[in-house]
Amino acid sequence: MGSGIKSCDVKDNQIFILLEKDTFPEVAFKIYKNYDATLDTLHASDEREFQDNFRIYALFSVKPDLFITIATNVDRINPSFRSLTPQIYSANWYEREIREMFGIEPVTHPDPRPLVLYDNWPVDFHPLRKDVEWNATVPSAKTEYPFKRVNGEGTLEIPVGPVHAGIIEPGHFRFSVAGEPIINLEIRLGYVHKGIEKLSETMPYQTGVFLAERISGDNSFSHVTAYCQAVEKIANVDVPGRAKYLRTVFLELERLYNLCRDIAGIALVTSYNVGAMHAYIMQEQIMQLNETLTGSRLLRGINSVGGVKIDISWGGINKIKELLILLKREMDDFVNLVSNLPSLLDRTQNTGILTKTVARDLNLVGPVARASGIDRDVRRDHPYAAYSDLTFKVVTQQRGDVQGRFNVKIGEIYESINIIEQALAKMPDTTIAVEVKEIPKGKIGFSLVEAPRGEAIHWIYSGEGRPFRHKIRDPSFCNWLAMEAAVIGGAGNIVPDFPLINKSMNLSYSGNDL
Amino acid sequence: MFKILKLGRFKKGIITTKYPNEPYRPGENYKGMPVVDPAHCNKVGACAKVCPTGAINVTSTEVIIDIGSCIFCGACEKACPHNAIKLSQKFELSTKVKEHLKVAF
C-alpha cells in the first residue's frame, strides 16, 4: 500500500480505495491518465451521522470491465476539497453540483458558479445534506446568475427560453452573436429541479422503482433497469435468465423508438417533412407495440427489484418479429430517401462539429460520443442483462458533425433490430423474477445502463430499507456541455444551425435537472 | 434485384386513426383507470397498503381512488385477494374540476 491510501478493497471487477484528502486529486489524475479511464460520476455523501465526515466518491471505469472507486473524507467544518477540474475537465459540472447540493467547496475550481438549482435558491441552503428535511420549505432569495458577456461593437445577445415555442421542457440559452455567426453560447438549466435524489432517500426500494421510471420520460426503462440492477447488486441477487432477456428486449425497444424520433427530428429541422413523417410513423408503430405488449407506451410498470413483472407470450414474440421485419424495410426506404438528398446533406455536413479531443475531455456519452470517434458502449464494455450472450456492432463515425450523429443513430437502429431478433431466438424458459428478501444496510451498489442517449448511472449506498444516498447520472448531464462546444467550435455555426445541432443531440432537460 | 423487395411505392394505406371522431380501443393489456367491483370488494384495504402514491383510500363503506395521483402501475390489481380491483381500458380521464378526479366505488 502506497502512502496516502487508507484502505483498499477488491471485489469481483470493482476496486474501492479510500484515500487521504491530499492525495485524492493526484490519484484521480493518475487513474484517468494511465489507464485511459472515464470519470463516470463524482459525488458527495453526507455521512456525518456515523463517521463524522462528508465523503466524496469518484467512480472510474476502465476497459475491459473494471471499475475503480476512489473516496476521501471531507471535514464537517468548512468542508472543502481540491478540485479535479484543472486536470480532469469532465469533473467540472459534478463539482459545481457538489458545491450547491452539499456546500462542499471545490477549491481552485475555475468556474464556481451555481449550476443545478434555480436562481431564487439561497446560497447557504444545501438540499442534499441530511439535516435538511425532504419536504422543507426553501426560503426565496434574490440572486442573479452571472452570465459570461461578450462586449464590443456589433455584438448582440440573444436570450432564448426558458419557455420555448414548441411544447418542450424549459432551458435558457444565451447566445452572443456578431451578425449571424455565434461567438458564445451559455446554457442555463435547473428550471425543473425536482429533488429526485432527496426524494429517493425517503422511499423504500419497492416504491423507488416507480420514482426511477419517472426520472426522464422517454428513458424510463433504462433508468429503472439501472436502479433495479444497483439494488440487486447490493442484495447480491442474480435475476433469472428470462428476466435478463426480457429486460434486453425492452431496453432495445426503448432505444428503437427514441432513435426513430431522433432521426425524424433531424429530418424535420432540415425541413424535409416527408422523411420525418416516415420516421415518426416507425416511432408510433413501436410505441403502439409497447402498449400492446405491456400496456404502457413508455414501458412503465414492468421492471422490479429481482426481475420483471410482465412476460411476453408466444403471440407477443411473433408480433415483435413481424414489426421488426417491417421496420427493417421501412428503414431501408428511409435511408434511401435521405442518403443522397442535397437539401439535407447541405445542412447536416460540417455543422456542429465535435472533435474527438473535445468528446474525450468532456466525457461525452452515447451516440454523440460515438459520432466523434469514441468507441465506447456500456453494452459491450461492461455488459449487463443479456448483452454478454449477444453479438452486435458498436457503430462509430469519425466526422463528429450532425451528419455523423445522424448516421450513428441510423446504424444503431439496425443494430437494435439485430439484438432484439437474437434475444427473442435465445430467450430461455425460466421464471421471470426472484423474491428479494433482504437488502443489507451500508453497502454500495451501482449500475451502468446504455440508455438511448448514452449511459445512465445509478449509484446507491444502502440504508434502512431504502437508499441512504442515491446518485443518479443521466447521460444528458454529460452531453449538455457538448452543445456549447458544438455551437461555438468548428466552422462558424450560425444561429439557424442551433436547432439542428440541438436536435442531433436531443438531450433531456428532465434527466439533467434531477 | 433486391430493390424490388423494398416497400417503396407499395407503401399504401392509412396510418392515422380517426380519434376522437371514432373511438380508440387500446390493447387488452392496457393500463387505464382502476375500477373496483363493489360486489367482490371486502374493504380489506390491501390495495391502499401497496399503492406507491397513496391514491387509494378505503373506508368501511367505499373505496375512493384519486385518479390525479394514480400512476397506473397495477400494484393494487396484484395485491387484491378477491380480484375486485382492475385496471380498465378507460383512458379519457381529463376533467376541468380537480375534485372530479376522486372517484368513489
Side-chain angles (χ1 to χ4, degrees):
Chain A
M1 240 183 245
S3 62
I5 296 177
K6 277 186 183 166
S7 73
C8 182
D9 185 23
V10 182
K11 201 187 142 214
D12 300 334
N13 61 347
Q14 295 168 22
I15 303 173
F16 183 89
I17 308 168
L18 185 63
L19 294 160
E20 299 281 357
K21 205 170 109 186
D22 301 338
T23 51
F24 187 70
E26 278 94 63
V27 175
F29 186 55
K30 261 187 195 154
I31 294 170
Y32 178 74
K33 210 175 162 219
N34 296 355
Y35 301 101
D36 198 26
T38 319
L39 179 66
D40 286 333
T41 77
L42 174 65
H43 57 273
S45 167
D46 182 357
E47 297 173 9
R48 282 177 296 176
E49 58 192 75
F50 52 84
Q51 58 129 343
D52 221 33
N53 283 319
F54 293 100
R55 191 173 267 188
I56 290 180
Y57 298 88
L59 173 67
F60 290 93
S61 61
V62 184
K63 277 189 210 173
D65 205 12
L66 177 71
F67 293 102
I68 305 172
T69 308
I70 57 171
T72 187
N73 291 339
V74 176
D75 291 338
R76 61 186 304 155
I77 300 152
N78 290 332
S80 71
F81 67 106
R82 197 139 56 86
S83 166
L84 305 181
T85 311
Q87 288 170 312
I88 307 171
Y89 189 73
S90 51
N92 180 0
W93 274 24
Y94 295 110
E95 287 179 351
R96 284 169 72 179
E97 190 186 32
I98 291 173
R99 181 173 170 272
E100 255 175 293
M101 291 306 206
F102 289 92
I104 304 173
E105 192 68 32
V107 183
T108 68
H109 191 289
D111 184 15
R113 287 180 297 170
L115 176 74
V116 279
L117 300 173
Y118 186 63
D119 282 359
N120 57 5
W121 276 76
V123 279
D124 53 353
F125 191 87
H126 307 295
L128 279 184
R129 285 191 178 192
K130 287 283 172 190
D131 43 20
V132 175
E133 287 296 317
W134 69 274
N135 54 0
T137 317
V138 186
S140 184
K142 266 220 164 351
T143 54
E144 202 174 316
Y145 184 73
F147 280 99
K148 279 188 189 133
R149 287 262 150 83
V150 177
N151 297 316
E153 203 180 327
T155 56
L156 283 174
E157 254 185 12
I158 311 175
V160 179
V163 180
H164 297 282
I167 305 171
I168 60 167
E169 295 175 271
H172 180 82
F173 303 95
R174 187 74 63 99
F175 297 93
S176 298
V177 297
E180 283 273 291
I182 302 167
I183 301 172
N184 193 26
L185 163 66
E186 271 205 277
I187 299 171
R188 177 88 177 109
L189 301 169
Y191 296 92
V192 275
H193 176 76
K194 306 169 285 293
I196 294 223
E197 289 178 2
K198 188 83 183 171
L199 203 56
S200 181
E201 288 169 11
T202 68
M203 283 192 176
Y205 295 112
Q206 305 307 339
T207 323
V209 169
F210 298 116
L211 182 72
E213 279 177 346
R214 280 154 183 84
I215 290 167
S216 172
D218 48 11
N219 285 199
S220 222
F221 200 80
S222 307
H223 270 289
V224 74
T225 309
Y227 181 83
C228 292
Q229 286 180 355
V231 178
E232 282 153 13
K233 244 178 224 175
I234 292 168
N236 208 2
V237 174
D238 200 21
V239 299
R242 195 174 175 85
K244 285 185 180 170
Y245 273 83
L246 286 171
R247 277 183 183 169
T248 310
V249 170
F250 289 130
L251 281 167
E252 292 305 320
L253 280 173
E254 180 173 270
R255 187 183 325 281
L256 271 180
Y257 85 72
N258 268 282
L259 292 176
C260 283
R261 184 210 44 215
D262 286 4
I263 56 172
I266 295 173
L268 191 71
V269 176
T270 58
S271 291
Y272 183 47
N273 289 13
V274 175
M277 289 309 148
H278 277 266
Y280 276 132
I281 289 171
M282 287 190 268
Q283 184 216 349
E284 182 57 28
Q285 282 171 325
I286 301 161
M287 291 183 91
Q288 285 182 2
L289 177 77
N290 290 348
E291 190 193 295
T292 321
L293 293 174
T294 68
S296 163
R297 282 162 66 89
L298 299 172
L299 299 169
R300 282 174 180 166
I302 302 168
N303 237 332
S304 65
V305 177
V308 291
K309 289 186 226 159
I310 292 171
D311 201 353
I312 307 181
S313 64
W314 183 242
I317 288 180
N318 282 339
K319 269 185 198 151
I320 302 175
K321 280 182 180 162
E322 267 168 39
L323 184 71
L324 291 184
I325 293 168
L326 182 74
L327 275 184
K328 251 191 251 176
R329 291 172 150 205
E330 294 266 13
M331 272 307 290
D332 287 348
D333 260 16
F334 179 81
V335 174
N336 237 5
L337 282 172
V338 296
S339 54
N340 290 311
L341 195 73
S343 68
L344 189 129
L345 294 178
D346 187 44
R347 288 293 307 279
T348 55
Q349 282 178 347
N350 298 324
T351 306
I353 295 176
L354 284 168
T355 61
K356 195 172 177 176
T357 326
V358 171
R360 169 91 180 104
D361 287 348
L362 291 177
N363 182 25
L364 304 190
V365 292
V368 177
R370 290 192 280 276
S372 296
I374 301 243
D375 188 18
R376 177 175 162 83
D377 191 321
V378 183
R379 290 175 290 172
R380 180 199 60 197
D381 301 335
H382 309 284
Y384 54 94
Y387 285 109
S388 50
D389 303 349
L390 311 171
T391 49
F392 57 95
K393 209 168 68 202
V394 175
V395 186
T396 54
Q397 288 262 322
Q398 302 300 325
R399 312 177 56 103
D401 56 0
V402 174
Q403 178 72 18
R405 293 190 274 278
F406 190 48
N407 289 344
V408 164
K409 286 181 176 181
I410 288 173
E412 287 192 0
I413 289 177
Y414 282 111
E415 284 307 312
S416 266
I417 294 175
N418 166 26
I419 291 171
I420 299 177
E421 281 177 342
Q422 286 182 51
L424 291 179
K426 284 187 178 176
M427 184 96 66
D429 211 5
T430 62
T431 51
I432 55 167
V434 285
E435 205 189 331
V436 180
K437 285 192 182 114
E438 203 189 334
I439 298 164
K441 195 185 156 191
K443 284 200 166 176
I444 293 172
F446 58 86
S447 170
L448 278 71
V449 165
E450 186 76 25
R453 293 191 175 93
E455 61 223 50
I457 300 172
H458 281 236
W459 185 100
I460 296 171
Y461 184 53
S462 64
E464 207 76 66
R466 62 202 65 200
F468 177 78
R469 168 86 172 102
H470 182 188
K471 164 73 190 167
I472 302 155
R473 199 215 69 189
D474 189 81
S476 300
F477 187 76
C478 297
N479 284 1
W480 272 113
L481 273 175
M483 185 91 77
E484 290 184 1
V487 169
I488 304 163
N493 293 302
I494 56 173
V495 178
D497 285 331
F498 173 73
L500 186 58
I501 297 169
N502 189 5
K503 268 280 181 276
S504 76
M505 298 187 186
N506 195 20
L507 302 175
S508 163
Y509 299 73
S510 179
N512 183 76
D513 304 349
L514 287 171
Chain B
M1 184 206 142
F2 287 102
K3 280 237 152 168
I4 304 165
L5 288 174
K6 283 180 183 154
L7 288 168
R9 69 178 68 185
F10 298 109
K11 211 178 319 195
K12 275 186 179 170
I14 299 164
I15 213 89
T16 49
T17 58
K18 295 242 161 109
Y19 184 81
N21 292 333
E22 282 173 20
Y24 171 74
R25 283 185 214 295
E28 54 182 290
N29 293 329
Y30 186 76
K31 288 184 268 191
M33 178 184 154
V35 174
V36 180
D37 181 359
H40 289 104
C41 180
N42 283 5
K43 317 281 185 296
V44 290
C47 49
K49 214 174 267 174
V50 295
C51 182
T53 58
I56 308 176
N57 190 9
V58 181
T59 63
S60 55
T61 51
E62 57 181 6
V63 181
I64 302 161
I65 300 176
D66 184 1
I67 306 295
S69 308
C70 179
I71 57 169
F72 311 100
C73 64
C76 48
E77 199 179 60
K78 285 225 169 73
C80 182
H82 309 289
N83 288 326
I85 187 162
K86 286 240 147 51
L87 294 192
S88 67
Q89 314 271 302
K90 268 190 214 164
F91 64 94
E92 288 159 317
L93 305 172
S94 58
T95 160
K96 284 179 182 163
V97 187
K98 212 176 172 190
E99 278 67 48
H100 290 179
L101 288 170
K102 288 200 172 142
V103 186
F105 293 96

